């Protein structure tokens, strides 16, 4: 397990790392970032971020979640669904 995977595991417990598309988009817009800005700052393509927000990618790697959370100024757990709400 990589250092990033370990950090994500500690932050999320046993939660599934499937991201919550609506939460990602909410956090991005709340931060005042465009898709392009988030993509550039996180080091991903605009298409990749768009696919995550549209739910076309059902999960994000631990590294991706970590980088997105850092850019958005939130916790990794803010980007994944709650156990009871999905």
């Amino acid at each position: 397990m990589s250092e990033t995977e370990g950090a994500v595991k500690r932050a999320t417990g046993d939660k599934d790392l499937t991201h919550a598309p609506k939460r990602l988009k909410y956090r991005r817009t709340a931060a005042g970032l465009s898709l392009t800005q988030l993509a550039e700052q996180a080091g991903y393509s605009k298409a990749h971020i768009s696919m995550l927000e549209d739910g076309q990618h059902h999960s994000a790697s631990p590294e991706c979640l970590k980088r997105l959370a850092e850019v958005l100024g939130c916790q990794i757990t803010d980007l994944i669904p709650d156990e009871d709400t999905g």
Side-chain angles (χ1 to χ4, degrees):
M1 180 181 305
S2 74
E3 184 176 330
T4 298
E5 290 171 329
V8 170
K9 182 75 171 165
R10 287 188 298 279
T12 61
D14 289 328
K15 286 186 177 182
D16 184 1
L17 290 183
T18 300
H19 72 288
K22 289 181 183 177
R23 287 183 178 205
L24 176 58
K25 187 172 186 174
Y26 170 80
R27 289 286 175 173
R28 177 181 61 77
T29 57
L33 296 174
S34 69
L35 279 170
T36 302
Q37 290 168 321
L38 177 57
E40 288 175 355
Q41 291 180 35
Y44 293 100
S45 70
K46 179 181 173 183
H48 183 75
I49 302 299
S50 179
M51 292 172 81
L52 288 171
E53 284 190 0
D54 291 340
Q56 294 176 20
H57 281 303
H58 297 289
S59 64
S61 70
E63 180 65 29
C64 180
L65 287 173
K66 179 180 179 249
R67 290 165 71 181
L68 291 171
E70 287 172 351
V71 171
L72 295 171
C74 66
Q75 300 296 313
I76 295 166
T77 52
D78 294 329
L79 302 177
I80 60 177
D82 293 327
E83 290 178 23
D84 54 341
T85 62

